[in-house]
């Protein structure tokens, strides 16, 4: 069983940057994929980015393409999310997810495809 924990959220002005970190511990095998989702009040949880261990291959939702970068950490089953040129619409709770039920290695998985989730970290972009 994996324990997933996020860190690094905070408040920043529009145009600023933040970096999020996630570690999925308690697993000696490769988690195959780790991803970030976000949710703001009144909206559904949205898949933002994913990194597959095979490749590694990365995929992003269109709204963050070119501004966010997901990368694997040096620790097994850890990832960073570098967020640049942040906009107010990027605000929300960011959740890390790990280990897929499915066999995909392409595109952004849906919520139900992940087995393990963190508790979330808050990101606020406001002037």
């Amino acid at each position: 069983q994996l324990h997933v924990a996020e860190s690094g959220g905070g408040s920043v002005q529009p145009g600023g940057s933040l970096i999020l970190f996630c570690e999925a511990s308690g697993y000696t095998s490769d988690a195959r994929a780790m991803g970030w989702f976000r949710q703001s009040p009144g909206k559904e949880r949205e898949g933002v980015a994913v990194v597959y261990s095979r490749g590694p291959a990365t995929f992003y939702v269109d709204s963050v393409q070119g501004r966010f970068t997901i990368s694997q950490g040096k620790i097994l089953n850890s990832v960073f999310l570098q967020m640049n040129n942040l906009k107010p619409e990027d605000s929300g709770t960011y959740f890390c997810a790990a280990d897929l039920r499915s066999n995909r290695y392409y595109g952004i998985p849906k919520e139900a495809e992940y087995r393990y989730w963190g508790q979330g970290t808050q990101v606020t972009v406001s002037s």
Side-chain angles (χ1 to χ4, degrees):
Q1 177 125 3
L2 286 178
H3 172 69
V4 181
E6 308 96 338
S7 61
S11 296
V12 66
Q13 293 186 341
S17 297
L18 283 173
I19 185 165
L20 305 182
F21 177 71
C22 172
E23 182 179 2
S25 58
Y27 210 45
T28 57
S29 300
D30 177 1
R32 289 207 312 115
M34 294 186 69
W36 289 96
F37 285 71
R38 65 186 178 190
Q39 188 170 23
S40 53
K43 294 187 178 180
E44 293 186 355
R45 193 172 294 191
E46 172 188 42
V48 173
V50 60
V51 57
Y52 294 97
S53 59
R54 183 183 293 181
T58 59
F59 297 90
Y60 302 90
V61 69
D62 288 346
S63 60
V64 308
Q65 186 76 40
R67 300 187 297 121
F68 290 13
T69 303
I70 187 170
S71 59
Q72 293 176 315
K74 292 183 178 180
I75 302 170
L76 179 66
N77 299 331
S78 68
V79 291
F80 293 93
L81 184 67
Q82 175 71 49
M83 304 185 294
N84 297 328
N85 190 21
L86 282 160
K87 303 176 181 180
E89 53 263 40
D90 294 319
S91 298
T93 303
Y94 280 68
F95 298 90
C96 180
D99 200 18
L100 291 178
R101 304 176 194 276
S102 62
N103 294 322
R104 69 151 81 209
Y105 281 97
Y106 186 87
I108 296 180
K110 294 179 172 52
E111 277 188 78
E113 294 183 70
Y114 284 101
R115 287 193 173 92
Y116 303 105
W117 290 83
Q119 294 297 309
T121 185
Q122 185 66 35
V123 170
T124 302
V125 185
S126 174
S127 55

